[in-house]
Amino acid sequence: MAEHFKEASRCRGCMTYLEKPMYLQCGYVCCLQCVNSLQKEPHGEGVLCPTCSSVSQKKDIRPGSQLGALVSKIQELEPQLRAVLQMNPRMRKFQVDVTFDDGTANNHLIISQDLRSAHRRYFKRNQRTHDERLNDAVSVLGSPRFTSGRHYWEVDVETSKEWVVGICRESVIRHGVILLSSKLGFWTMGLSNGGLFSASTVPLTILSVSPQLDRVGIFLDMDIGIISFYHVSNGSHIFTFTKVSAAEPLRPFFANLNLNEDDEGFCRIYPVMNPGMASPPMSPGQGN
């Protein structure tokens, strides 16, 4: 609910709290000052909606007074909301022993012998191509498969310039160009374009994340259908996907987006901190 309030109070134009919210005819909402920056109708005075391109004339644009009052209240409650969204240390009792599944790794990825580190090389490995392997996207799936319950793992991304972490459906496309989208079964967040953090929603959600993000905590609850990402160093919440489908097994997902050169950085999965409390490791073919 805290995440819902946070999202509902944000202007889709400037990505900050809505200030004097205004509704276009189609229902798109943004700050009053952002209305003036919208693209104008060719040879007219109307403005174009940035999401559906419908035209709203000046008389069609109306203030959202009730929403504005709600946003003001949410701003007052922001300290409490931040506390609600802080990472709960008890999540670690659901920590699972996640490793990279080398049999799915793109041939540009080098997987360490302990199956916990991955980094990119410009030259391909000479590995046999098969149905399980991701042959175009520089990515790899993780083990185990998840079919129910709660699961938590952490990934070190400090040295990698461009990366993606999260989960995907077992049945996602493995060959050709892969579009990371929640509609296509990828629930991920990552860093690209030299400092832009985003989540794979439709449309893409730009995230406000500290540049010092070094370790990502990932918490998946399949029983209520959410996956949340946390900044482990300070415990702050980064993003939560809701309505994550549990209709088929889910797999940890990792990608390196630096396509043009060798990347000395790496993604590394942290081992289980409390072995007695974590789920045992499983082979790639096992269910949870």
Side-chain angles (χ1 to χ4, degrees), residues 243-279:
K243 300 180 181 178
V244 175
S245 173
E248 63 177 272
L250 302 178
R251 300 281 295 273
F253 178 83
F254 310 83
N256 183 311
L257 302 179
N258 191 3
L259 303 179
N260 298 319
E261 58 185 23
D262 286 359
D263 187 356
E264 295 302 326
F266 60 87
C267 284
R268 177 164 179 80
I269 306 168
Y270 274 81
V272 172
M273 297 180 63
N274 300 303
M277 301 176 69
S279 302

Side-chain angles (χ1 to χ4, degrees), residues 179-216:
L179 177 62
L180 298 182
S181 161
S182 55
K183 284 190 174 181
L184 299 178
F186 291 92
W187 294 273
T188 64
M189 68 150 292
L191 171 67
S192 62
N193 297 330
L196 182 66
F197 290 93
S198 62
S200 61
T201 54
V202 181
L204 203 69
T205 297
I206 305 303
L207 304 175
S208 177
V209 181
S210 166
Q212 283 73 44
L213 177 63
D214 56 357
R215 194 192 306 190
V216 181

Side-chain angles (χ1 to χ4, degrees), residues 115-132:
L115 303 179
R116 295 192 185 279
S117 293
H119 66 277
R120 189 190 186 282
R121 281 289 178 261
Y122 183 77
F123 295 103
K124 286 186 176 183
R125 297 184 296 166
N126 185 21
Q127 296 283 345
R128 182 174 63 89
T129 299
H130 53 78
D131 290 343
E132 294 293 307

